[in-house]
Amino acid sequence: MKQVAVMLKPASSLCNLRCRYCFYADVSDSRAVRSFGVMERETARRILENIFSCLEPPDAVTIAFQGGEPTLAGLDFYRFFTEEADRLRGRVRVAYALQTNGILLDEEWCRFLKERKFLVGLSMDALRAEHDQNRVDAAGKGTYARVSAARAMLARCGVDYNVLTVLTGALARHPQQVWNWLCKEDIRYVQFIPCLDGLDGGSSPFALTPERFASFYTQLFGLWKADFLLGRYRSVKLFDDLVHLFADGSCHACGLTGHCSPQIVVEADGSVYPCDFYALDEYRVGNLAEERLDGLYEAPAMAAFRARPTQSLELCAACPYAPACGGGCPRMRREVCGNKDAATCGYRMFLEECLPDIRQIARRERRA
């Protein structure tokens, strides 16, 4: 049985917000074509044909819509897309996900998402002041109240959702406040995405640092563990990933062990890239509207991307955690581990404090 995942950008880099730290704006600004606009329906149909032609029961595919802001493609696009998928998929199983800033969600959207069993990732920074400072609309106004209303609507309509929070250097100063917010708002599933410096190596005032990474996650883990041991489980993706890694060796996050997994990231014109962080002209793999999915996985450009040399840290040579880390995600390495001349590694500092407890929880999960 094959299980594949495809990320589609039906509205390319178009967005109705002007988030001050947006990594995809940095990526798209580095391409010859910044935005490919909204995906044509014929392009979507050919993409679906080239996915399902490679699959048969009991295979499964997850189709995740991201952006930019994917809801800008319009609800009618998603109705067309899911109906076309039903026509073409036969008995192949399909799951849908949508990563959104929530601004355009209304009752009609939420009824559709519930009916089609979408898993929604809602972009929402944990503290209102941080969110309103960084996640602003075209007029420069904060959006926390509007996103909070969207989250309440998702919950009211019974839509499964999680929260994605950008972990800036500033937000990482406040792990206790972040945990209090998660508990107060009853956020059951959260993923923190490190805020990155520029693709060109330039420094961003919002970027995370290895020291802040270590401090934030070490303190957050203590709070998470205390509730976990009392039977109050709250999903923090990094902690879940590490427990799985040490419980059964399974790795559920690309780059967690230093290896890039093959990904299919599809821009609005059908162009395919091997990673959301590297949707750049030089890494273009092919076009899913013109080529079958299995051929793209095996394309020379995909193999070349995965085999590209990356610069390991001098610290890695003597690090006891290197076999389980491998230097981490290459794109996040500077913010999480450090640059090549770093004297300390943020990920190592975190593991030194927390790994014994993570291993203990992993052993407990193995016995369960």
Side-chain angles (χ1 to χ4, degrees):
M1 181 181 73
K2 289 184 286 190
Q3 291 184 315
V4 299
V6 176
M7 180 192 294
L8 295 184
K9 293 182 176 289
S12 191
S13 61
L14 300 174
C15 194
N16 49 359
L17 295 189
R18 301 294 183 268
C19 299
R20 303 189 192 282
Y21 46 50
C22 180
F23 86 86
Y24 205 67
D26 186 26
V27 169
S28 58
D29 282 344
S30 300
R31 294 193 304 237
V33 177
R34 186 184 189 281
S35 173
F36 296 97
V38 174
M39 183 177 287
E40 299 286 344
R41 294 192 178 191
E42 179 60 20
T43 301
R45 185 188 63 77
R46 294 201 308 267
I47 284 171
L48 285 167
E49 288 177 344
N50 285 326
I51 292 173
F52 291 120
S53 64
C54 307
L55 303 175
E56 59 186 24
D59 294 344
V61 58
T62 297
I63 300 176
F65 298 94
Q66 293 201 20
E69 172 48 44
T71 59
L72 289 173
L75 183 52
D76 284 346
F77 171 86
Y78 289 88
R79 290 194 175 109
F80 163 82
F81 191 98
T82 52
E83 289 167 4
E84 195 70 5
D86 286 345
R87 185 179 70 82
L88 294 168
R89 71 185 178 89
R91 290 185 295 120
V92 172
R93 293 172 296 153
V94 182
Y96 295 108
L98 173 74
Q99 184 65 44
T100 176
N101 59 35
I103 298 298
L104 294 180
L105 295 185
D106 57 17
E107 295 282 353
E108 188 178 13
W109 264 105
C110 289
R111 286 195 298 270
F112 168 81
L113 296 169
K114 172 65 175 178
E115 176 189 347
R116 285 296 186 165
K117 299 180 180 178
F118 271 68
L119 173 63
V120 174
L122 186 64
S123 297
M124 186 177 193
D125 288 353
L127 304 182
R128 181 168 190 151
E130 291 292 328
H131 183 111
D132 279 343
Q133 177 182 353
N134 297 322
R135 302 190 63 81
V136 299
D137 62 18
K141 295 181 179 179
T143 58
Y144 184 89
R146 281 174 279 177
V147 179
S148 291
R151 188 174 71 83
M153 194 183 312
L154 289 167
R156 187 167 62 251
C157 293
V159 179
D160 290 333
Y161 75 93
N162 55 38
V163 167
L164 187 148
T165 290
V166 176
L167 187 59
T168 63
L171 185 62
R173 291 178 178 271
H174 306 292
Q176 180 71 66
Q177 292 181 41
V178 169
W179 183 254
N180 292 346
W181 179 81
L182 292 172
C183 296
K184 176 177 179 292
E185 300 295 332
D186 196 27
I187 307 295
R188 308 302 301 175
Y189 299 89
V190 64
Q191 179 178 2
F192 297 98
I193 301 296
C195 187
L196 304 176
D197 279 319
L199 268 172
D200 60 1
S203 178
S204 163
F206 306 102
L208 190 62
T209 65
E211 295 77 14
R212 296 271 178 88
F213 172 93
S215 174
F216 175 82
Y217 271 117
T218 299
Q219 294 179 64
L220 193 74
F221 180 79
L223 299 164
W224 176 88
K225 182 188 73 170
D227 266 21
F228 178 84
L229 295 177
L230 291 172
R232 296 194 293 262
Y233 170 70
R234 196 175 304 279
S235 173
V236 176
K237 190 171 187 304
L238 177 62
F239 303 156
D240 290 351
D241 288 337
L242 287 170
V243 169
H244 285 302
L245 181 63
F246 289 101
D248 57 22
S250 60
C251 182
H252 296 174
C254 179
L256 184 67
T257 58
H259 303 292
C260 294
S261 304
Q263 297 185 49
I264 300 292
V265 179
V266 188
E267 260 287 1
D269 69 333
S271 293
V272 173
Y273 305 89
C275 176
D276 201 22
F277 291 134
Y278 294 97
L280 302 167
D281 296 334
E282 58 263 41
Y283 296 117
R284 185 179 180 276
V285 173
N287 191 302
L288 189 53
E290 301 167 0
E291 304 166 66
R292 282 167 48 108
L293 179 63
D294 51 4
L296 291 165
Y297 273 116
E298 297 166 4
M302 181 73 78
F305 177 82
R306 297 178 65 196
R308 74 196 189 287
T310 58
Q311 191 172 44
S312 62
L313 308 182
E314 292 181 9
L315 293 169
C316 294
C319 180
Y321 309 110
C325 167
C329 168
R331 182 64 181 94
M332 298 182 183
R333 187 170 294 161
R334 178 175 172 181
E335 293 78 17
V336 172
C337 302
N339 60 34
K340 64 183 181 63
D341 299 318
T344 58
C345 168
Y347 194 55
R348 178 173 178 171
M349 288 190 287
F350 162 69
L351 290 177
E352 284 175 341
E353 290 290 332
C354 300
L355 189 55
D357 286 330
I358 291 170
R359 289 185 186 276
Q360 184 179 24
I361 292 171
R363 288 192 293 270
R364 173 174 163 169
E365 293 300 296
R366 274 200 304 269
R367 293 193 296 267

